[in-house]
């Protein structure tokens, strides 16, 4: 524990509040994510988990509070509050969506190539003249995308339209697309939703592998077995507030958590 | 990929026999027949007052044209049946092709087959080059107009078809191109070849200027604002007499020069035709490369899902502005050509109808598909020219065609196909399949 506390967190959220008119979806939320750590975010439906992701990635502007992201290599810290979503992705944080948002009329490979967009540069002139630099960049985009697709196990379907993939494959493609942006922090919103046990097991292996390659992961999930086996730390939310945080063993016996999940009488 | 067998249209009679062969089909057909009967009865009822009763107010007589009932009934019955058959066939082929990765149309398939591609392109090019010599200059002149609309369509296709930004004021950029040549020539005696790039760039600049405030809008809102922009520009041209000479327009604009050579009207027209062929080829080349690039992919992603697109690190404002100004660039170029071709510009040439026609070309041809847009332009521009009888009902036909397209073939005549890559497994083995 001591060791962890001395490291600077790569994601530092403090006092984050988000109001939708009268509804307070996030209420003074504080938490942090360390480098190469798997943190799970759990809580009943409507607790505000997805809203939190949307605030972190710049899709919503939080009403108040601070979000800071620090690159683990350079240690440079940036405030994310007023940045646009694409800038935030450029800084090194990528996400998947709870309700799959693939580019369904584009091929699997093209979806991943879109993820490479923020790491490449060619524009109009490069596209028209196709000079050597552009060709090399394009080839590199294809190569890296294929590598990532191999990693998530979709290399057999590169030319398939993304919309034609099975549900589980679409979830994995979303992860591949996010990985293509070279993030050091990956946000996964219910990646196992709708998967069968075999697919879930594959997913667990994949997430472990991604972590071992040096990415930190913040994960929203309802599958308790998955959360308990995978995560280093768990943050529990209810009604927009953090009600507990700790290791899986600590969370399992936490009275507040049991109460939130089972209702008032449950504890 | 689709096999050849599936693509060749099946023999009608044998198809019918096969249709009747199973019980389920019989049920579907009976239902369709019943429905079509109802539809035709309904049509007869609806059109009764205009098709059957004829009042002659001068002679104060009413004549009953009962024969028309049969035409209406049979016509609507057949059309309704055809529509139903098409829908059923489409459903089936969709189910059959759900497993296959990329759908291609016949033309696209031919173009992609290496053995067919070059002969086909050479043939088309040969016909295009010989066209003015085979047919009359008058025909070449009509074709020049069609070629201009091909370029306009390809330009708008980048904005509407590829990037998914509904722009109803495209004609404004066309007008900017035309007027920039007219005015530059009037005041500074600039020639066509100097004005051509200036007109294009000026239009692109206006594209950016318009883009900045409006690109945060989406869908319908963007459409309304661009529509407004087009109308405002036309009204300015119509009313600012000191600047644009108002509704009377600017005349005596010189045709494009050819190294100072004097040309007869006939030759000038043929020269114009070849110039447009060159412009079309250049546009196809550029648009093709743009679509198949980092930028083109980003546009497609933008069309599909704006939020996911941003979350993947794409600066949406930037690529929207680029799409807008590139589309405007081509409109500006063709505007200059238009001014040179007609030697006269006035605001009446740049009404909303023009925008609508160009948009119809894109939608009819196939959003995002170059071949589709070319076909769309040829159909929509040449058909009314050759079927003079139809040209009176042009707008009606446009409407009918577009509605029919929405129902039967929302992806357009020739849908765009995604590029495929061959993937050979291990590291660094994915090769770019070259398109040229
Ligand atoms: N765009 C929005 N406008 C209004 N209310 C919203 C919006 N997004 C989320 N909410 C509200 O915020 C609360 C949290 O939702 P959400 O973050 O999706 O929950 P979770 O992902 O934890 O299930 C819900 O009550 C929801 O109705
Ligand atoms: Mg959620």
């Amino acid at each position: 524990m001591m060791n962890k506390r001395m490291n600077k967190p790569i994601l530092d959220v403090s006092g984050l509040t988000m109001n939708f008119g009268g509804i307070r979806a996030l209420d003074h939320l504080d938490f942090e994510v360390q480098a190469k750590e798997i943190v799970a975010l759990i809580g009943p439906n409507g607790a505000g988990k997805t809203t939190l992701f949307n605030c972190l990635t710049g899709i919503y502007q939080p009403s108040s509070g601070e979000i800071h992201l620090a690159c683990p290599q350079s240690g440079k810290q940036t405030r994310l509050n007023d940045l646009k979503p694409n800038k935030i992705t450029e800084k090194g944080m990528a996400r998947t969506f709870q309700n799959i948002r693939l580019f369904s009329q584009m091929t699997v490979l093209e979806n991943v190539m879109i993820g490479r967009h923020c790491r490449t540069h060619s524009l109009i002139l490069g596209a028209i003249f196709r000079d050597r630099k552009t060709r090399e960049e394009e080839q590199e985009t294809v190569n890296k995308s294929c590598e990532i697709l191999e990693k998530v196990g979709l290399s057999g379907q590169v030319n398939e339209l993304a919309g034609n993939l099975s549900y589980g494959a679409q979830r994995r493609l979303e992860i591949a697309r996010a990985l293509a942006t070279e993030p050091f922090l990956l946000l996964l919103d219910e990646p196992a939703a709708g998967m069968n046990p075999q697919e879930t097991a594959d997913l667990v292996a994949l997430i472990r592998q991604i972590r071992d390659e040096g990415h930190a992961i913040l994960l929203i999930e309802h599958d308790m077995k998955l959360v308990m086996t995978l995560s280093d730390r768990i943050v529990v939310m209810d009604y927009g507030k953090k009600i507990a945080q700790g290791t899986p063993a600590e969370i399992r016996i936490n009275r507040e958590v049991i109460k939130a999940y089972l209702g008032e009488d449950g504890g | 990929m689709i096999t050849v067998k599936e693509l060749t249209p099946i023999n009608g009679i044998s198809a019918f026999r096969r249709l009747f062969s199973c019980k389920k089909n019989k049920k579907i057909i009976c239902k369709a027949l019943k429905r079509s009967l109802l539809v035709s009865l309904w049509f007869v009822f609806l059109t009764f007052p205009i098709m059957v009763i004829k009042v002659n107010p001068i002679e104060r007589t009413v004549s009953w044209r009962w024969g028309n009932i049969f035409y209406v009934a049979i016509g609507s019955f057949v059309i309704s049946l055809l529509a139903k058959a098409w829908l059923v066939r489409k459903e089936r082929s969709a189910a059959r092709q759900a497993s296959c990765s990329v759908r291609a149309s016949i033309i696209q398939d031919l173009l992609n087959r290496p053995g067919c591609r070059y002969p086909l392109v050479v043939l088309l090019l040969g016909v295009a080059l010989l066209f003015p010599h085979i047919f009359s200059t008058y025909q070449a002149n009509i074709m020049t107009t069609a070629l201009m609309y091909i370029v306009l369509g390809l330009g708008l296709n980048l904005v509407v078809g590829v990037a998914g930004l509904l722009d109803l004021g495209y004609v404004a950029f066309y007008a900017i191109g035309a007027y920039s040549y007219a005015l530059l020539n009037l005041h500074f005696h600039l020639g066509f070849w100097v004005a051509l790039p200036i007109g294009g760039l000026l239009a692109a600049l206006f594209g950016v200027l318009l883009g900045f405030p409006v690109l945060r809008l989406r869908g319908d809102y963007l459409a309304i604002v661009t529509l407004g922009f087009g109308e405002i520009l036309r009204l300015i041209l119509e009313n600012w007499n000191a600047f644009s000479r108002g509704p009377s327009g600017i005349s005596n604009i010189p045709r494009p020069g050819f190294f100072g050579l004097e040309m007869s009207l006939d030759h000038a027209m043929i020269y114009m035709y070849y110039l447009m062929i060159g412009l079309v080829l250049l546009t196809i080349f550029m648009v093709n490369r743009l679509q198949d690039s980092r930028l083109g992919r980003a546009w497609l992603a933008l069309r599909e899902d704006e939020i996911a697109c941003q979350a993947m690190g794409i600066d949406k404002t930037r690529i929207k502005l680029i799409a807008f100004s590139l589309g405007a660039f081509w409109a500006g170029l063709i505007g200059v050509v238009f001014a040179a071709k007609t030697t006269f510009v006035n605001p009446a040439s740049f009404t909303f109808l023009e925008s609508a026609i160009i948009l119809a070309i894109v939608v009819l041809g196939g959003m995002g598909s170059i071949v589709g847009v070319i076909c769309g332009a040829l159909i929509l521009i040449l058909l009314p020219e050759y079927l003079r009888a139809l040209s009176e009902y042009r707008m009606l036909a446009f409407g009918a065609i577009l509605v029919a397209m929405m129902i039967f073939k929302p992806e357009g005549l020739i849908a765009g196909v995604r590029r495929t890559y061959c993937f050979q497994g291990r590291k660094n083995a994915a090769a770019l399949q070259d398109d040229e």
Side-chain angles (χ1 to χ4, degrees):
Chain A
M1 270 328 252
M2 274 317 284
N3 202 6
K4 263 198 179 151
R5 215 165 272 163
M6 283 189 324
N7 286 338
K8 212 159 100 185
I10 56 169
L11 177 69
D12 188 0
V13 176
S14 63
L16 193 67
T17 303
M18 179 81 214
N19 300 319
F20 292 112
I23 301 170
R24 176 158 286 189
L26 295 178
D27 194 355
H28 293 94
L29 204 69
D30 304 290
F31 76 97
E32 52 200 45
V33 178
Q34 305 285 345
K36 300 181 188 179
E37 188 182 31
I38 300 182
V39 177
L41 195 62
I42 63 172
N45 271 328
K49 306 177 297 291
T50 301
T51 306
L52 172 64
F53 270 24
N54 286 337
C55 287
L56 293 180
T57 52
I59 291 170
Y60 293 161
Q61 280 300 318
S63 312
S64 65
E66 295 282 317
I67 308 166
H68 289 277
L69 192 72
C71 174
Q73 278 91 41
S74 64
K76 210 178 123 238
Q77 202 176 36
T78 2
R79 184 168 180 271
L80 298 187
N81 284 53
D82 300 319
L83 291 186
K84 281 190 184 166
N86 56 297
K87 282 283 168 223
I88 293 176
T89 307
E90 247 172 64
K91 298 276 179 232
M93 181 162 74
R95 69 172 292 180
T96 66
F97 293 90
Q98 178 179 352
N99 44 346
I100 299 174
R101 302 191 85 128
L102 288 169
F103 309 115
S104 51
Q105 294 300 309
M106 297 170 79
T107 66
V108 168
L109 182 64
E110 280 174 324
N111 267 274
V112 184
M113 285 165 85
I114 287 290
R116 300 287 313 156
H117 188 95
C118 61
R119 304 293 170 217
T120 46
H121 306 284
S122 91
L123 269 181
I124 308 174
L125 293 182
I128 291 173
F129 293 111
R130 256 189 219 165
D131 52 315
R132 222 185 78 212
K133 223 176 102 207
T134 310
R135 284 199 308 265
E136 280 169 7
E137 191 182 270
E138 195 74 0
Q139 184 66 58
E140 193 196 312
T141 301
V142 174
N143 289 349
K144 288 212 166 145
S145 306
C146 283
E147 253 171 61
I148 294 172
L149 280 172
E150 249 186 337
K151 183 156 54 184
V152 302
L154 287 173
S155 56
Q157 289 151 300
V158 280
N159 290 325
E160 196 90 28
L161 290 187
N164 290 351
L165 292 183
S166 73
Y167 200 71
Q170 291 196 6
R171 289 234 175 260
R172 270 179 292 146
L173 180 55
E174 272 224 341
I175 296 178
R177 189 178 66 173
L179 279 178
T181 66
E182 297 179 3
F184 55 80
L185 175 59
L186 188 61
L187 310 184
L188 304 177
D189 198 342
E190 306 199 9
M195 283 189 172
N196 63 33
Q198 179 56 46
E199 284 174 327
T200 307
D202 291 344
L203 180 74
V204 169
L206 175 64
I207 293 177
R208 284 227 170 87
Q209 188 192 348
I210 292 170
R211 194 266 303 273
D212 293 341
E213 281 165 9
H215 305 265
I217 290 163
L218 178 61
L219 158 101
I220 296 176
E221 191 46 70
H222 286 301
D223 183 338
M224 276 307 140
K225 201 172 130 237
L226 184 149
V227 169
M228 292 297 169
T229 51
L230 203 56
S231 37
D232 301 315
R233 228 146 41 79
I234 298 176
V235 174
V236 190
M237 283 175 68
D238 196 14
Y239 296 112
K241 288 200 183 77
K242 182 171 84 178
I243 58 170
Q245 101 176 2
T247 62
E250 289 164 3
I251 292 301
R252 214 188 290 270
I253 53 168
N254 187 304
R255 297 191 73 84
E256 288 285 327
V257 178
I258 297 168
K259 209 155 93 188
Y261 270 89
L262 300 179
E264 285 302 323
D265 321 321
Chain B
M1 273 291 126
I2 304 164
T3 57
V4 200
K5 217 170 118 207
E6 267 171 283
L7 285 170
T8 49
I10 356 163
N11 181 323
I13 300 166
S14 74
F16 240 91
R17 208 173 289 151
R18 218 176 323 142
L19 262 179
F20 270 107
S21 61
C22 87
K23 225 175 200 164
K24 198 173 142 220
N25 278 342
K26 251 181 222 164
K27 214 167 158 190
I28 291 176
I29 287 168
C30 283
K31 221 169 135 191
L33 284 174
K34 251 185 239 162
R35 231 188 67 126
S36 300
L37 210 65
L38 274 178
V39 166
S40 74
L41 280 178
W42 182 235
F43 256 82
V44 167
F45 175 71
L46 277 184
T47 56
F48 189 82
I50 47 170
M51 295 303 288
V52 179
I53 307 172
K54 189 180 182 189
V55 180
N56 192 332
I58 298 166
E59 291 172 18
R60 291 170 175 272
T61 54
V62 177
S63 49
W64 301 83
R65 298 170 299 176
W66 293 108
N68 281 350
I69 280 189
F70 291 103
Y71 294 127
V72 171
I74 292 170
S76 52
F77 181 78
V78 170
I79 288 175
S80 151
L81 210 59
L82 279 177
K84 183 75 191 161
W86 181 300
L87 281 178
V88 167
R89 226 192 72 184
K90 198 180 137 197
E91 250 168 50
R92 289 204 183 147
S93 71
R96 179 153 25 95
Q97 288 176 351
S99 56
C100 103
S101 52
V102 182
R103 291 179 57 173
S105 69
I106 303 173
I107 295 179
Q108 221 108 33
D109 196 58
L110 277 179
L111 271 177
N112 284 338
R113 216 172 296 157
C116 288
R117 191 190 177 108
Y118 286 104
L120 206 69
V121 169
V122 168
L123 185 77
L124 279 178
L125 217 64
V127 170
L129 287 181
L130 290 178
F131 190 86
H133 303 290
I134 304 172
F135 301 98
S136 65
T137 318
Y138 170 73
Q139 304 289 344
N141 199 28
I142 292 175
M143 204 42 141
T144 310
T145 308
L147 292 174
M148 283 166 59
Y149 278 91
I150 289 181
V151 177
L152 286 172
L154 288 173
L156 185 64
N157 187 35
L158 280 185
V159 186
V160 179
V162 181
L165 306 167
L166 187 49
D167 179 359
L168 293 183
Y170 193 60
V171 73
F173 304 118
Y174 185 40
I176 288 170
Y179 266 89
S180 59
Y181 177 37
L183 289 171
L184 283 174
N185 183 266
L186 189 70
H187 296 303
F188 306 107
H189 305 288
L190 288 189
F192 172 81
W193 290 106
V194 184
L196 188 66
I198 295 181
L201 291 177
L202 216 60
L205 180 73
F206 268 86
V208 174
L209 288 184
L210 171 69
F212 263 119
V214 308
L215 283 182
R216 53 184 76 246
L217 304 174
R218 253 191 257 177
D220 315 356
Y221 300 103
L222 180 68
I224 299 287
V225 173
T226 50
L227 175 72
F229 172 71
E231 285 302 291
I232 288 171
L233 197 92
R234 190 176 59 80
L235 288 174
I236 289 177
L237 291 176
E238 215 153 75
N239 293 299
W240 192 1
N241 285 332
F243 174 71
S244 66
R245 299 198 170 176
S248 52
I250 302 170
S251 51
N252 286 330
I253 304 168
R255 292 201 164 80
F258 186 68
F259 301 113
L261 217 64
E262 280 290 319
M263 275 185 285
S264 68
L265 187 62
D266 252 23
H267 283 148
M269 277 181 171
I270 293 178
Y271 177 48
M272 207 71 202
Y273 173 83
Y274 283 120
L275 195 152
M276 269 321 297
I277 290 273
L279 254 179
V280 166
L281 290 179
L282 188 73
T283 307
I284 292 176
F285 173 79
M286 285 168 75
V287 169
N288 186 32
R289 285 206 156 177
L290 278 170
Q291 284 196 13
D292 182 22
S293 71
R294 170 177 178 263
L295 198 57
R297 281 193 302 272
W299 282 333
L300 276 181
L302 184 77
R303 181 182 78 181
E304 298 235 341
D305 190 329
E306 215 165 277
I307 287 179
C309 182
Q310 274 187 295
M312 287 304 117
I314 292 172
D315 186 345
K316 76 168 182 194
T317 328
R318 192 169 182 200
I319 64 164
K320 273 184 181 180
L321 275 181
I322 293 177
F324 230 66
S325 56
L326 269 177
F329 172 74
W330 269 291
L333 281 190
I334 297 304
V336 175
V337 174
F338 172 79
K341 179 169 175 278
T342 54
T343 69
F344 169 71
V345 291
N346 75 343
S349 312
F350 307 107
T351 54
F352 171 66
L353 181 62
E354 288 298 309
S355 291
I357 291 174
I358 304 168
L359 188 67
I361 287 173
V362 176
V363 175
L364 177 81
M367 307 258 268
S369 144
I370 294 177
V371 186
V373 169
I374 294 173
C375 293
L378 291 179
I379 291 173
L380 282 188
I381 303 304
L382 294 185
L383 265 192
E385 288 292 343
Y386 290 117
L387 299 176
R388 278 284 164 194
L390 193 86
S391 67
E392 247 179 78
Y393 304 102
R394 194 166 159 150
M395 285 322 282
L396 200 68
F398 269 7
I401 289 176
L402 287 183
V403 169
M405 290 298 289
M406 295 298 160
I407 298 171
F408 299 123
K409 229 167 159 355
E411 72 274 17
L413 283 179
I414 295 160
V417 281
R418 306 304 321 135
R419 189 177 179 193
T420 54
Y421 297 81
C422 56
F423 180 72
Q424 292 138 358
R426 292 290 90 191
K427 245 188 169 121
N428 292 349
L432 279 170
Q433 228 174 48
D434 216 352
D435 248 7
E436 263 94 33

